[in-house]
Amino acid sequence: MAQQTVSKLDKRIKRFNVTGLIHTLISLSMIVMTAINIIYQETIFYYTLRGLSIATLINSIIWLWCAIRLFIAAKQLNNPKSVKNTRIILALSVILVLTPDTLAVLLYWLPMLSDLVLINLIGFISPVLVFIGWFVGKHLGKKLKKS
């Protein structure tokens, strides 16, 4: 029975890491599209960024579900330090990933902010924070698998 539980937890950790990787790849494409948007100032690039922000939001919901399931199952994970430490790292990862994504989606979809420089700034900062959050979560997943 313990093998089956470990197997389910391994699957949860893998799903968490895969959705985080997809999230990071979408964010990297947002950096490229933001740079193109700054250079060419075409509306098509702005609309592409809006579409990418929606794709990021959908992936964020899936990723958050995986994080919540890991947060609940933290007692079953093999962390050499503590369950509290695991939950703190998961919470930090969630905050680093979801805060800039939520901000980016709001900025891209509010019409009064569509021409501001703030959108381009968020287009560069948000993916960096997402990558850091994904890296923290992935590092936690690797540490838990080794234990």
Side-chain angles (χ1 to χ4, degrees):
M1 181 170 264
Q3 288 286 33
Q4 189 177 18
T5 305
V6 172
S7 165
K8 285 182 181 181
L9 289 173
D10 283 343
K11 287 180 182 179
R12 286 180 185 169
I13 291 170
K14 185 175 181 179
R15 287 182 192 134
F16 178 75
N17 286 331
V18 168
T19 54
L21 176 63
I22 292 168
H23 206 98
T24 302
L25 293 175
I26 293 171
S27 294
L28 290 174
S29 64
M30 284 183 79
I31 285 178
V32 172
M33 290 308 297
T34 300
I36 292 171
N37 187 30
I38 290 171
I39 294 169
Y40 293 109
Q41 296 293 320
E42 299 273 335
T43 56
I44 187 70
F45 300 120
Y46 178 75
Y47 290 130
T48 304
L49 283 167
R50 286 175 84 177
L52 284 172
S53 72
I54 291 300
T56 302
L57 184 65
I58 292 168
N59 192 53
S60 294
I61 292 168
I62 296 167
W63 185 80
L64 182 62
W65 175 249
C66 292
I68 289 171
R69 291 183 68 186
L70 280 177
F71 194 83
I72 292 170
K75 289 182 181 178
Q76 299 170 0
L77 298 171
N78 296 324
N79 190 347
K81 293 186 180 177
S82 70
V83 174
K84 181 181 176 184
N85 188 33
T86 302
R87 288 183 173 158
I88 288 172
I89 293 172
L90 275 170
L92 178 66
S93 181
V94 167
I95 288 169
L96 283 172
V97 171
L98 295 183
T99 302
D101 282 346
T102 306
L103 194 63
V105 169
L106 286 175
L107 286 176
Y108 286 124
W109 287 95
L110 290 175
M112 69 218 60
L113 297 175
S114 63
D115 292 331
L116 293 179
V117 177
L118 187 59
I119 287 178
N120 291 327
L121 182 66
I122 291 297
F124 283 116
I125 293 173
S126 173
V128 172
L129 292 176
V130 167
F131 177 75
I132 292 169
W134 171 71
F135 185 76
V136 166
K138 181 144 181 80
H139 181 69
L140 174 67
K142 282 183 178 180
K143 199 188 297 187
L144 293 175
K145 279 187 175 181
K146 288 180 183 177
S147 300

